[in-house]
Amino acid sequence: MQQDRTTRRTCPYCGAELPEEASFCPFCARSVNQRQNVSPPSVRWRKALRRAFPVLILLLVLGLAGTAQYLSTRPRVYDDNGTGEVIYTDEDGTYQILLGWLDTPYEPAPVITQIAERDADCTFPICLFIHHQDTGINAGEIFLQKVASVTAEFDTPDDPTAYISYGDPAYDDYAPDAALTSFTHFLGRENSARGTWTITMENGDVILLHQTLNVDLIETVNIYPEDAPMDTIEDLQALVDSMEDRVGYSDVVNLHLPAVTYEGDLSITGRPVNLYGNTEGEGRTVFTGTVQVNPEGNNNIVYLYDIDFVGDGDGVGISSARRTWPIGCRFTGWRTALMCHGTGADGGICYTECRFEGNEVAIHYNTNRTNFFNSVAPDNQFLRNGTGILIEGEPTEDALNLPGCRFEGNGTDIDNRSGQPLDISQATFQ
């Protein structure tokens, strides 16, 4: 049978007939498979990349610069990390921002320990100070113009049944150099809480200042006439002197006095004690000699309640070198009824609901710096004294405020030789 010529393969070079699956001609030895020519890759894209490279570098640099600009101008959070102080810098300068005490405006107070009697309602001020870092000059007023808001809040205290809370931060004459002051409140319990002041700037920056308040309890020791001899000035002096060894220094000692008249002077010069005059029945406790108040230690207040101080036209009723606060007392017949000669932050007097009558001078501030540990002296009566209030010494910025006080029949109501600021808007003069 003849082979179909349409299916025969021949060599394209010599014309010889080829086997069916041949890949080369057995006669001329040439390859009979068809090949496809492959062109080498084009180099045009490389040239385009070389031309675009500077543009890509420029775009990358611009992108990095934009990122840096964003990072440098975006709102930041400044946290004091428990130091009570932040150093903050803006286009106008560098500032020291801290929480502290009135008398130490450059020292941060990240941890505060307050003592209190059990279940007593207590209040104390804490101040926000702002200074120029380089000069130490007060910058509070200028800085607050850049501030959107200031808040202060304590976390839940260790004992949640006892409150610890900040008052709203605001400017207060109590601390004229502070940008803001918060009157902090707490209940007398063994307790602790962490507080945070949040200062939000107009530019979005946030400044965080932290403060921990620890509350320690102190004991209150009440001694009554049936507990110890106190009928004579000698008995009372011995009792006052013995308190230093009988109770802890931080304890509060209240001596409840009988309705007797004490002849002679009393000195409170060791540890502080409070004196409570008798208010039961018709009799009152009377002192005819000087009570000298100058206890050891700092920031202590000696309270004298409901006592009559009766002089013979000479001498001093109370001589105060430390913080002294008569409440509901009566002063008559003294050359000077109440004299303040204490200096510094631990000195000063206050008086509430007292009656000063027939004294040559009712109250005499006689210091090189007039002190008001509490500048409000409410509801006192100044009747028929030679001078009601005599103020000498270097004045303070705090105004002596006399709300509800009555001045009547005095030779001079107020002799303000020092030029001390006064607030007599709620006092009456007759």
Side-chain angles (χ1 to χ4, degrees), residues 43 127 161 225 244 264-265 346 403:
V43 297
C127 302
T161 66
E244 194 160 4
D265 299 337
D346 301 319

Side-chain angles (χ1 to χ4, degrees), residues 101-103 114 123-125 174 268 271-274 291-304 318-326 338-351 365 371-375 398:
W101 297 105
L102 171 63
D103 54 347
Q114 292 286 84
T123 300
F124 72 96
Y174 164 82
I268 304 175
R271 62 147 295 129
V273 297
N274 303 320
V291 175
Q292 178 186 0
V293 180
N294 189 18
E296 298 174 353
N298 301 324
N299 299 319
N300 295 307
I301 302 175
V302 171
Y303 294 92
L304 303 104
I318 297 177
S319 176
S320 168
R322 293 282 184 173
R323 295 180 174 185
T324 307
W325 196 334
L338 174 56
M339 174 175 284
C340 173
H341 56 89
T343 61
D346 301 319
I349 57 174
C350 190
Y351 35 94
Y365 292 93
N371 285 290
F372 306 123
F373 71 90
N374 186 334
S375 61
D398 298 332

Side-chain angles (χ1 to χ4, degrees), residues 44-85:
R44 293 180 181 178
W45 68 270
R46 296 179 182 175
K47 294 179 180 179
L49 181 60
R50 284 197 298 269
R51 292 171 184 169
F53 185 75
V55 177
L56 294 175
I57 293 298
L58 177 60
L59 292 176
L60 178 61
V61 170
L62 291 176
L64 292 174
T67 301
Q69 175 68 16
Y70 168 73
L71 293 175
S72 66
T73 58
R74 69 174 180 174
R76 296 183 177 182
V77 176
Y78 296 78
D79 196 310
D80 72 351
N81 296 315
T83 65
E85 176 186 40

Side-chain angles (χ1 to χ4, degrees), residues 232-276:
T232 67
I233 196 67
E234 292 78 15
D235 290 339
L236 184 57
Q237 186 67 67
L239 179 60
V240 169
D241 294 342
S242 71
M243 288 298 103
E244 194 160 4
D245 298 325
R246 294 175 58 179
V247 299
Y249 178 77
S250 297
D251 294 341
V252 174
V253 177
N254 299 322
L255 303 183
H256 299 265
L257 307 179
V260 299
T261 297
Y262 292 107
E263 303 284 349
D265 299 337
L266 177 69
S267 296
I268 304 175
T269 55
R271 62 147 295 129
V273 297
N274 303 320
L275 304 181
Y276 284 74

Side-chain angles (χ1 to χ4, degrees), residues 96-137:
Q96 178 197 34
I97 305 170
L98 63 90
L99 298 175
W101 297 105
L102 171 63
D103 54 347
T104 54
Y106 296 94
E107 299 178 15
V111 179
I112 293 174
T113 299
Q114 292 286 84
I115 58 175
E117 297 180 65
R118 180 173 294 278
D119 293 333
D121 295 310
C122 303
T123 300
F124 72 96
I126 197 68
C127 302
L128 173 70
F129 292 102
I130 303 173
H131 309 107
H132 289 292
Q133 173 71 4
D134 296 333
T135 64
I137 295 175

